[in-house]
C-alpha cells in the first residue's frame, strides 16, 4: 500500500480540507474565513480538495464583462477571451494563456537562478576586492610616507619643508584614490541592494503565482547582467634621491602621479554559445607580453601559478614571497607579501586569495583588510593545487593533498570544514586542479603525465595521456589546468610548449600554440571570454593570448 502524506494548512499545522483555486493555497476549515479576508486581484474560490484546479488560470476580460480570458495575443501583448479573438485578433499571433504564464514562470525561475548564483556573487566578490584594494592603498601610501620620513631625517631640518610638500602630495593622491574606490564600492553595494530587492520581489511573485503580475512581469536581466565600469589605478612609487642643499626640492625625490585605469564594463557569460567550433580562432593571437620580474628556483622555474580576478586582471606567483596583480596590458596593479613562498593560489568568493602554505601544511586566505588567516589546517597532509567553485550550497574550495604515497582531493566549505573527499590510486598524484561549471574535477599528474577527471560525486569520467597524432610531439608532460566557459579543459604541456584543449568529455579538440612560441608553459588562467594567460617557466614572462573569437569576428 502506498504511503499517505498529510497535507497541512498554509496558515497552521492542521490538516487541509479546502483549497483556494485562484491563490493555489491549502486551507483548513478554521482558516477559510481568515483567508477570504485577504486581498486578491483574482478573488477567492474555496473548494474541497477533490475539486481543486492544479493549473488554475483566472483572468477576466477587460472588454467583455464576466468572460474569462483563455488566450494571449503575442502581437498586442494582452490576454484575450474568445470574443476578442473573433472581434480584433483573428490574424494575430495567439497562444494559450496557461502556456504564456508557464513560459513567464520558467523565465522567472531561470532569471532567479542567474541573479542568485551568477550575478549577485560576482558583485559581492568585486566589493570584497575593492575593500582589499582600499586596505592596500592605505598600506602602500603609509609605506611611501615612512620612506619619505626616513630619508628626511637624514637631511635634518633643511629638508623639512620639502618633506611636508611631498607628503601632502602623497596624502592628496591617497585621498583621490580612496575616494575613487569608495565611490565604486558604494555604487556596487547599491546595485547589490537593488539585486536583493529584485530577488525578493521575484521570489514572492514566483511563490504567489499571481497571474496578473506574471503577465506584466518585466525582466531585469538586461539591466543587471551588464557590469558597470569601475576605476582602478597603477601603483604609485616614490623615487628617492640624495641631493645637494641648493637643489634640495628638485633632487630630494619625486612621486609619479598615478594613472587612473578605466576598467571596462563586461557582460556576465551566462548565455554561452553552443557550437565551440565556430568560436575557436584558427590561429591564436598574442595580445601582450608581461615581464613579471620573478627569479628562477633551483630547477630554473620562474612562474608557478596564475588566477584571474575581475576586469581582465590576474594574480601571479613565482619563486618569491610576493604575489603580483597584473592587468592584460602588463601594468602592475598591486602586490602582496606572504610569510612564506607559495606555488599554488586560488581566488575565493568571500575574500581575495587563498594559497597553500607548505611550511606548516595550511591553506591561508588573504582577507579584505590585508591580513592572512589560516583557513584549513591539513595536519600531516601537504597542500598543493587549489581551485574554488561557487556551488548552490555556497563557495567551496578544492585542495590537492599529499602524504607520502597517499593522494586525495578534499572539498571544504566556506567555514573551512571538510565536506567531501576524493581518493586517488597510488599511481595518480594530483598536482594542479580545476572545477568546470558542471562541477567536474580535473587534476594533472606531472609524475605519470596524465590528466584525471572525476564527476562531482567522485566517479571517474576520463583519463587523458596526450595525443601523439598531432605533429611530432614529445612525451606529454602536463602541469597546470584550467577550464573555460564551455566547460573545456586547457592543459599546459611543459615539454611540447603547447596548450592542449579538450572538451568536457575528454575529447581532444586541438593544441593551442603561438608562432612566437610558448616556452615551458606552466601557470594558466582564463580571463573573461576568450583570453588565456600563460606563465612561462623558462622566461618568467606571462603571455596573454586570444583563442576564442570575439563577437566582431563571428
Amino acid at each position: 500500500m502506498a504511503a499517505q502524506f498529510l497535507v497541512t494548512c498554509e496558515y497552521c499545522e492542521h490538516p487541509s480540507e479546502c483549497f483556494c483555486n485562484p491563490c493555489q493555497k491549502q486551507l483548513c476549515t478554521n482558516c477559510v474565513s481568515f483567508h477570504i479576508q485577504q486581498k486578491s486581484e483574482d478573488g477567492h474560490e474555496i473548494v474541497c480538495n477533490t475539486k481543486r484546479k492544479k493549473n488554475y488560470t483566472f483572468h477576466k476580460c477587460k472588454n467583455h464583462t464576466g468572460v474569462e480570458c483563455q488566450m494571449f495575443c503575442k502581437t498586442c501583448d494582452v490576454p484575450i477571451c474568445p470574443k476578442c479573438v473573433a472581434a480584433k485578433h483573428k490574424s494575430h499571433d495567439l497562444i494559450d494563456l496557461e502556456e504564456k504564464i508557464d513560459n513567464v514562470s520558467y523565465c522567472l525561475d531561470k532569471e532567479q537562478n542567474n541573479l542568485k548564483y551568477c550575478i549577485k556573487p560576482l558583485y559581492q566578490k568585486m566589493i570584497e576586492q575593492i575593500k582589499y584594494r582600499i586596505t592596500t592603498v592605505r598600506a602602500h601610501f603609509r609605506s611611501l610616507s615612512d620612506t619619505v620620513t626616513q630619508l628626511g631625517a637624514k637631511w635634518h631640518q633643511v629638508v623639512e619643508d620639502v618633506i611636508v610638500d611631498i607628503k601632502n602630495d602623497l596624502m592628496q593622491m591617497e585621498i583621490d584614490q580612496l575616494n575613487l574606490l569608495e565611490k565604486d564600492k558604494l555604487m556596487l553595494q547599491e546595485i547589490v541592494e537593488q539585486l536583493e530587492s529584485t530577488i525578493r520581489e521575484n521570489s514572492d511573485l514566483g511563490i504567489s503565482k499571481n497571474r496578473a503580475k506574471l503577465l506584466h512581469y518585466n525582466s531585469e536581466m538586461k539591466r543587471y547582467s551588464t557590469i558597470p565600469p569601475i576605476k582602478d589605478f597603477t601603483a604609485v612609487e616614490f623615487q628617492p634621491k640624495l641631493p645637494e642643499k641648493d637643489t634640495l626640492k628638485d633632487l630630494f625625490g619625486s612621486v609619479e602621479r598615478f594613472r587612473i585605469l578605466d576598467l571596462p564594463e563586461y557582460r556576465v557569460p551566462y548565455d554561452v554559445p553552443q557550437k565551440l567550433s565556430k568560436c575557436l580562432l584558427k590561429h591564436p593571437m598574442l595580445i601582450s607580453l608581461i615581464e613579471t620580474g620573478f627569479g628562477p628556483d633551483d630547477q630554473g622555474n620562474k612562474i608557478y601559478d596564475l588566477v584571474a580576478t575581475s576586469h581582465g586582471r590576474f594574480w601571479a606567483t613565482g619563486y618569491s614571497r610576493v604575489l603580483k596583480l597584473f592587468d592584460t596590458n602588463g601594468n602592475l596593479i598591486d602586490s602582496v607579501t606572504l610569510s612564506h613562498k607559495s606555488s599554488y593560489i586560488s581566488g575565493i568568493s568571500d575574500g581575495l586569495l587563498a594559497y597553500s602554505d607548505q611550511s606548516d601544511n595550511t591553506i591561508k586566505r588573504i582577507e579584505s583588510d590585508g591580513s592572512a588567516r589560516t583557513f584549513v589546517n591539513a595536519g600531516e597532509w601537504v597542500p598543493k593545487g587549489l581551485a574554488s567553485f561557487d556551488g548552490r550550497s555556497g563557495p567551496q574550495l578544492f585542495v590537492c593533498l599529499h602524504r607520502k604515497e597517499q593522494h586525495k582531493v578534499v572539498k571544504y566549505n566556506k567555514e573551512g570544514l571538510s565536506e567531501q573527499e576524493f581518493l586517488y590510486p597510488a599511481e595518480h598524484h594530483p598536482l594542479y586542479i580545476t572545477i568546470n561549471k558542471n562541477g567536474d574535477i580535473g587534476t594533472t599528474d606531472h609524475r605519470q603525465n596524465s590528466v584525471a577527471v572525476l564527476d562531482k560525486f567522485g566517479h571517474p569520467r576520463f583519463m587523458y595521456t596526450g595525443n601523439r597524432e598531432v605533429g611530432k610531439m614529445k612525451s606529454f608532460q602536463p602541469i597546470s589546468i584550467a577550464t573555460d566557459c564551455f566547460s573545456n579543459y586547457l592543459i599546459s604541456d611543459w615539454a611540447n610548449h603547447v596548450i592542449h584543449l579538450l572538451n568536457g568529455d575528454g575529447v581532444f579538440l586541438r593544441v593551442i600554440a603561438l608562432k612566437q612560441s610558448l616556452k615551458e608553459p606552466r601557470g594558466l588562467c582564463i580571463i573573461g571570454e576568450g583570453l588565456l594567460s600563460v606563465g612561462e617557466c623558462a622566461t618568467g614572462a606571462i603571455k596573454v593570448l586570444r583563442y576564442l573569437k570575439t563577437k566582431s569576428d563571428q
Side-chain angles (χ1 to χ4, degrees):
M1 183 176 179
Q4 300 295 315
F5 294 95
L6 180 64
V7 180
T8 59
C9 175
E10 297 279 349
Y11 299 104
C12 65
E13 299 297 324
H14 293 105
S16 168
E17 301 96 358
C18 304
F19 189 80
C20 180
N21 276 326
C23 302
Q24 294 283 288
K25 288 185 178 293
Q26 298 282 352
L27 305 168
C28 68
T29 53
N30 295 331
C31 295
V32 168
S33 58
F34 171 77
H35 178 72
I36 292 176
Q37 295 173 12
Q38 309 303 310
K39 291 183 179 181
S40 172
E41 295 182 7
D42 297 329
H44 298 289
E45 181 188 347
I46 308 299
V47 298
C48 63
N49 274 328
T50 56
K51 295 182 179 181
R52 62 177 292 183
K53 297 179 182 178
K54 185 175 181 181
N55 295 314
Y56 186 86
T57 302
F58 186 80
H59 196 95
K60 292 180 180 179
C61 181
K62 294 181 179 180
N63 300 319
H64 302 93
T65 306
V67 182
E68 183 179 341
C69 294
Q70 298 176 357
M71 303 295 292
F72 186 86
C73 179
K74 296 172 69 175
T75 305
C76 304
D77 196 31
V78 292
I80 56 177
C81 70
K83 292 183 178 181
C84 294
V85 175
K88 296 181 180 181
H89 303 269
K90 282 185 179 181
S91 60
H92 291 182
D93 187 5
L94 308 178
I95 62 171
D96 184 75
L97 182 61
E98 190 66 34
E99 181 183 350
K100 170 65 176 178
I101 291 175
D102 288 343
N103 290 340
V104 174
S105 296
Y106 172 78
C107 292
L108 176 65
D109 292 340
K110 186 177 180 180
E111 179 171 323
Q112 279 289 82
N113 185 69
N114 281 323
L115 289 174
K116 281 185 178 180
Y117 303 113
C118 183
I119 295 180
K120 181 183 174 182
L122 179 58
Y123 276 98
Q124 291 174 325
K125 182 184 291 186
M126 290 170 63
I127 290 172
E128 289 298 326
Q129 290 170 353
I130 289 180
K131 287 180 181 178
Y132 175 77
R133 290 289 287 130
I134 290 173
T135 300
T136 58
V137 165
R138 288 196 175 102
H140 186 63
F141 278 95
R142 294 286 79 76
S143 175
L144 293 176
S145 182
D146 291 344
T147 301
V148 173
T149 302
Q150 292 169 7
L151 188 59
K154 297 178 181 179
W155 288 88
H156 304 292
Q157 190 61 42
V158 292
V159 299
E160 284 301 320
D161 292 340
V162 177
I163 292 174
V164 170
D165 290 342
I166 294 181
K167 291 181 72 173
N168 285 340
D169 290 340
L170 290 172
M171 185 178 300
Q172 185 59 51
M173 283 191 284
E174 177 184 6
I175 291 171
D176 292 344
Q177 289 192 9
L178 292 175
N179 286 340
L180 289 171
L181 290 172
E182 192 69 30
K183 182 179 178 181
D184 284 343
K185 185 190 77 171
L186 293 174
M187 176 191 68
L188 293 175
Q189 287 176 333
E190 182 179 354
I191 293 175
V192 169
E193 290 175 0
Q194 294 171 0
L195 266 171
E196 290 174 342
S197 176
T198 299
I199 291 171
R200 285 196 300 271
E201 292 172 2
N202 287 353
S203 180
D204 293 340
L205 181 56
I207 293 172
S208 69
K209 302 296 182 183
N210 188 307
R211 268 48 180 183
K213 291 184 179 180
L214 282 172
L215 290 172
H216 295 89
Y217 173 76
N218 291 320
S219 172
E220 295 288 342
M221 280 303 300
K222 184 176 181 181
R223 173 187 171 191
Y224 289 122
S225 61
T226 300
I227 307 299
I230 63 174
K231 296 186 183 302
D232 206 340
F233 27 77
T234 57
V236 173
E237 298 295 337
F238 173 72
Q239 304 294 331
K241 299 178 180 179
L242 297 176
E244 296 293 334
K245 288 184 179 181
D246 55 349
T247 57
L248 177 63
K249 189 170 182 178
D250 291 334
L251 297 179
F252 183 80
S254 62
V255 177
E256 181 183 354
R257 179 73 180 179
F258 66 86
R259 291 179 290 119
I260 298 175
L261 305 175
D262 288 317
L263 304 182
E265 66 179 26
Y266 68 99
R267 290 184 59 82
V268 181
Y270 65 88
D271 189 14
V272 177
Q274 295 300 313
K275 293 185 178 180
L276 175 64
S277 58
K278 294 183 178 181
C279 300
L280 286 172
L281 285 174
K282 185 176 181 180
H283 300 292
M285 298 185 302
L286 180 66
I287 303 299
S288 62
L289 175 64
I290 302 170
E291 297 295 341
T292 62
F294 289 125
D297 60 14
D298 295 340
Q299 287 76 41
N301 298 321
K302 296 181 179 181
I303 292 285
Y304 292 154
D305 204 359
L306 306 177
V307 60
T309 65
S310 63
H311 291 87
R313 296 176 297 178
F314 55 91
W315 289 94
T317 179
Y319 188 60
S320 171
R321 290 171 49 205
V322 179
L323 306 182
K324 298 180 180 181
L325 178 66
F326 297 96
D327 64 15
T328 53
N329 294 321
N331 293 311
L332 177 62
I333 305 299
D334 202 357
S335 62
V336 175
T337 301
L338 308 179
S339 57
H340 294 85
K341 298 181 182 69
S342 179
S343 304
Y344 309 95
I345 55 178
S346 173
I348 51 178
S349 295
D350 54 351
L352 181 71
L353 284 173
Y355 64 94
S356 296
D357 189 341
Q358 296 182 359
S359 68
D360 58 1
N361 290 350
T362 61
I363 305 297
K364 292 185 173 68
R365 69 181 190 183
I366 300 172
E367 305 295 335
S368 58
D369 62 359
S371 62
R373 182 173 70 86
T374 297
F375 180 57
V376 172
N377 191 329
E380 297 179 354
W381 293 84
V382 179
K384 294 193 176 181
L386 312 173
S388 63
F389 182 72
D390 291 333
R392 292 202 172 190
S393 60
Q396 302 160 350
L397 185 67
F398 292 75
V399 184
C400 297
L401 296 173
H402 298 254
R403 184 178 64 184
K404 296 182 179 179
E405 292 304 312
Q406 294 178 296
H407 318 281
K408 63 182 179 179
V409 169
V410 178
K411 179 175 72 175
Y412 296 95
N413 62 19
K414 64 180 180 180
E415 306 298 332
L417 302 176
S418 173
E419 285 192 338
Q420 190 176 4
E421 289 192 359
F422 304 88
L423 300 178
Y424 289 83
E427 61 269 17
H428 188 79
H429 307 73
L431 180 68
Y432 282 86
I433 183 170
T434 190
I435 316 295
N436 71 11
K437 68 178 184 179
N438 299 322
D440 294 342
I441 307 162
T443 56
T444 60
D445 180 356
H446 189 49
R447 294 188 188 179
Q448 298 298 321
N449 296 332
S450 64
V451 174
V453 175
L454 311 179
D455 65 19
K456 59 185 176 182
F457 303 107
H459 303 139
R461 291 214 61 212
F462 64 84
M463 292 280 291
Y464 177 72
T465 56
N467 192 319
R468 298 291 184 88
E469 298 178 4
V470 182
K472 297 180 179 180
M473 303 269 293
K474 298 179 181 178
S475 176
F476 179 52
Q477 292 188 17
I479 302 185
S480 188
I481 184 170
T483 184
D484 64 13
C485 59
F486 292 95
S487 292
N488 298 318
Y489 295 100
L490 295 97
I491 305 148
S492 59
D493 186 345
W494 179 85
N496 293 289
H497 313 291
V498 296
I499 309 298
H500 294 241
L501 179 63
L502 316 179
N503 72 9
D505 296 318
V507 177
F508 174 81
L509 300 177
R510 63 178 294 181
V511 295
I512 297 174
L514 289 174
K515 293 181 179 179
Q516 298 89 342
S517 78
L518 297 171
K519 298 179 180 179
E520 300 178 4
R522 181 164 179 167
L524 296 178
C525 72
I526 303 295
I527 307 172
E529 298 181 13
L531 287 183
L532 172 66
S533 288
V534 183
E536 296 182 333
C537 286
T539 66
I542 296 173
K543 290 180 178 177
V544 180
L545 55 95
R546 179 174 294 282
Y547 72 102
L548 294 180
K549 297 177 182 177
T550 62
K551 291 183 179 180
S552 60
D553 298 325
Q554 298 181 21

